[in-house]
Amino acid sequence: MSLVSLLLIVVNIGVSLIGFRNVQFFNRYAFSVDGIIRQRQCDRFITSIFLHVDYVHLFFNMFSFYSFAIYIEKFTGGLFLLLLFFGSALGGDFLALFIHRRHPRYRAAGASGAISGVIFASVLLFPEGRIMVFPVPIGLPTWLFAIIFVLISVYGIGKQAGNIGHEAHLGGALTGILITGLFFPAAVLSNILLTLLLILPVAIFLWIIVKNPGKIHLRYQQKENREEKEGE
């Protein structure tokens, strides 16, 4: 029985429901650049994992998590799943903080980073798996889904598209690969080409950010300006 998977889902649902009903609770414990850097509220790194924006966000995150986590827990154990979940979540948060360190108003919530790490670990541990993605009528190989996922996340960060936390997706995915490689090196070595295909676009994008930090800052400022005008 997938006890750890179910426990994480129950905690996510419980904390998210509190956040839905209590705006002050949500604002205090969501991921916030200003809260972490200026107010030193480092607990937000963990608490934000269990908060979600709405019921749709919560449902799809928990459905995606359970779909992959049960197999990881079955074949690797609950302790590895916990390490993977929280390690990937923190990896996603740290990348988001690095990218948006100059944007004090940036806020986010959700277990997306953790779930991305779980998905990518599953791809490396079970490379022959398939996943159904609506509206595609046939199951896609999980490795193809993962590569598309990385490319979309890179594009989303660069364009600051929508309100999706692409940074957490990307950071969580990369951390999931690293944790899997540390504990199950054979899974990485036997799929070295796939691993490189997953890591290469992430590494290139991070290099671009380091070399051109003003580009992301400009995109974010443009997004904030649009949102302010729409709110007038």
Side-chain angles (χ1 to χ4, degrees):
M1 184 177 292
S2 306
L3 293 178
V4 172
S5 302
L6 292 175
L7 177 61
L8 288 171
I9 290 173
V10 168
V11 175
N12 264 274
I13 293 174
V15 176
S16 293
L17 289 177
I18 296 174
F20 293 160
R21 294 175 171 82
N22 190 325
V23 176
Q24 289 76 18
F25 179 88
F26 182 91
N27 290 337
R28 168 57 185 85
Y29 294 108
F31 180 88
S32 165
V33 171
D34 181 70
I36 293 172
I37 294 180
R38 189 174 65 84
Q39 302 179 44
R40 305 296 182 184
Q41 296 170 340
C42 294
D43 57 324
R44 291 176 182 267
F45 281 120
I46 299 298
T47 57
S48 61
I49 301 171
F50 300 102
L51 288 169
H52 290 79
V53 175
D54 52 37
Y55 287 100
V56 174
H57 185 209
L58 174 64
F59 172 78
F60 280 105
N61 265 2
M62 293 302 97
F63 177 80
S64 300
F65 171 71
Y66 186 75
S67 298
F68 289 90
I70 55 173
Y71 297 105
I72 291 179
E73 184 175 358
K74 178 179 179 180
F75 290 100
T76 68
L79 288 178
F80 176 76
L81 178 60
L82 283 173
L83 175 63
L84 181 65
F85 181 88
F86 285 104
S88 299
L90 290 174
D93 283 346
F94 284 136
L95 181 59
L97 185 64
F98 173 73
I99 292 175
H100 292 287
R101 63 193 182 280
R102 298 169 58 191
H103 310 138
R105 293 171 58 187
Y106 180 84
R107 298 168 67 242
S112 299
I115 295 168
S116 297
V118 169
I119 291 174
F120 277 65
S122 178
V123 170
L124 291 176
L125 293 170
F126 316 110
E128 296 181 357
R130 303 184 78 86
I131 182 173
M132 297 298 296
V133 180
F134 181 84
V136 180
I138 59 175
L140 289 177
T142 53
W143 61 264
L144 178 59
F145 170 80
I147 292 173
I148 295 173
F149 179 92
V150 167
L151 295 176
I152 291 175
S153 296
V154 168
Y155 175 83
I157 296 173
K159 295 293 185 181
Q160 288 299 312
N163 294 313
I164 299 173
H166 296 283
E167 298 87 350
H169 293 166
L170 206 56
L174 181 59
T175 306
I177 293 173
L178 295 176
I179 292 175
T180 304
L182 180 63
F183 285 87
F184 300 96
V188 174
L189 294 175
S190 61
N191 297 284
I192 193 67
L193 179 59
L194 173 59
T195 304
L196 291 175
L197 286 173
L198 296 176
I199 292 178
L200 186 60
V202 178
I204 293 174
F205 181 71
L206 292 178
W207 181 83
I208 292 173
I209 291 177
V210 172
K211 290 293 184 179
N212 303 281
K215 182 176 292 188
I216 295 297
H217 179 68
L218 177 61
R219 294 284 188 184
Y220 187 77
Q221 289 299 119
Q222 292 173 340
K223 178 184 177 182
E224 282 196 328
N225 292 338
R226 288 196 304 269
E227 291 176 347
E228 289 178 357
K229 290 181 179 179
E230 291 173 357
E232 292 177 353

